[in-house]
Amino acid sequence: MSDALRPRGPLWTLYEHLAMHVGLGALALLCLTWLPFAMLLHPLLPRPVGQRLGRRVIAAGFRFYLGLLERLCACRFDLSEIEGLRHERGLVIAANHPSLLDAVILVSQLPDAICVMKASLMDNPLFGSAARLARYVRNDGILQIIAGGCEALQQGTHLVLFPEGSRTVHFPVDPLQPTAGMIAWRADAPVQTVLLDFSTAYLGKAWPLLRPPVLPLTVKARLGRRFDAPTDHTAFTTELEAYFRREVRVPAAPPA
């Protein structure tokens, strides 16, 4: 019997509630701790120095956070397959998007990675300062995303993208947007797929923020197919979606 389907006792249910608060609270505390430093350093440091420092602090903070979840919150992360990517340069990292933890998982292993962030999050006092220091790509429209993504790739940065555009609603994947293909085409960059397997879709689109997880929560990041830089971004998007539909594993439904 899988962990997610074992009978749940009252003490274990209480632990799941406590683990939820510890996990969410720790992430907020980490962000708040770095916030004043990021705000101060952003206008003071030269851009290359600031973005390098900002990205490495975020990656280190996320690695520490995942370690905390493993030690205190009965989470199990197998990320060994993507560790080697940190030594490569100029890759589009395209992953499925079952949970709010996805970016945390990927960036924790890629100390020179950046993400595309919603403009509202970039302006958020909790998250925005760190993202601005690291020079994440601001989602102010498709042209800005393509320009920012191509610039980052030309500098040898990993660009983490979720081609669905939002967390998955209809598993295994929702219809893909063409952004990843357009950026890879314009930047002449390969696309490395990563397949994120969750035991349950904790913090997914249909999982309320304050609904406790089903523990133990297991997450495995699998290194998928690497696509050459596309010559036709429309055909590439169709091929990438078909690949995800074949390879993505659907999380188990949580107990009622």
Side-chain angles (χ1 to χ4, degrees):
M1 183 180 294
S2 70
D3 289 330
L5 299 179
R6 286 175 181 165
R8 325 303 296 178
L11 290 179
W12 190 255
T13 300
L14 175 61
Y15 172 65
E16 290 173 335
H17 280 79
L18 291 174
M20 174 193 68
H21 290 290
V22 169
L24 296 176
L27 182 58
L29 182 60
L30 283 172
C31 293
L32 287 171
T33 300
W34 178 233
L35 170 63
F37 299 100
M39 291 180 64
L40 177 65
L41 294 174
H42 181 258
L44 294 179
L45 293 179
R47 174 169 178 159
V49 177
Q51 69 183 26
R52 182 180 178 87
L53 175 65
R55 293 169 189 175
R56 277 155 179 72
V57 169
I58 290 174
F62 284 168
R63 284 196 301 274
F64 174 81
Y65 176 65
L66 294 181
L68 187 72
L69 294 184
E70 288 187 318
R71 289 173 176 81
L72 300 181
C73 300
C75 295
R76 302 167 182 168
F77 298 99
D78 181 356
L79 311 181
S80 57
E81 290 191 21
I82 60 173
E83 290 177 358
L85 295 179
R86 69 181 65 178
H87 303 298
E88 302 193 48
R89 307 289 290 170
L91 290 175
V92 176
I93 308 295
N96 59 311
H97 199 7
S99 170
L100 281 175
L101 292 174
D102 302 336
V104 173
I105 289 167
L106 294 174
V107 172
S108 73
Q109 303 302 306
L110 304 172
D112 194 31
I114 63 170
C115 302
V116 176
M117 288 188 66
K118 294 180 180 179
S120 59
L121 287 178
M122 291 284 280
D123 293 332
N124 185 291
L126 183 60
F127 299 105
S129 295
R132 288 192 296 273
L133 179 63
R135 266 61 178 195
Y136 279 21
V137 177
R138 185 184 178 95
N139 184 355
D140 276 328
I142 186 65
L143 293 179
Q144 288 80 4
I145 295 173
I146 292 173
C150 289
E151 179 184 5
L153 289 166
Q154 289 164 2
Q155 295 172 354
T157 301
H158 292 95
L159 179 64
V160 174
L161 292 175
F162 300 104
E164 294 168 85
S166 183
R167 285 168 291 162
T168 309
V169 176
H170 305 291
F171 286 94
V173 292
D174 291 328
L176 302 192
Q177 299 180 3
T179 311
M182 295 175 73
I183 293 174
W185 167 61
R186 288 285 296 272
D188 193 28
V191 178
Q192 174 65 60
T193 59
V194 176
L195 307 166
L196 298 174
D197 302 326
F198 279 68
S199 54
T200 57
Y202 177 57
L203 295 179
K205 198 75 169 180
W207 196 294
L209 182 63
L210 296 182
R211 179 179 182 176
V214 177
L215 298 179
L217 176 70
T218 62
V219 183
K220 180 177 176 61
R222 291 183 287 132
L223 207 57
R225 176 182 169 186
R226 180 172 298 187
F227 293 83
D228 293 332
T231 56
D232 181 337
H233 63 79
T234 301
F236 169 78
T237 301
T238 300
E239 184 180 10
L240 183 62
E241 181 175 329
Y243 175 76
F244 275 135
R245 290 192 180 281
R246 290 194 306 270
E247 299 296 332
V248 170
R249 297 171 184 169
V250 179

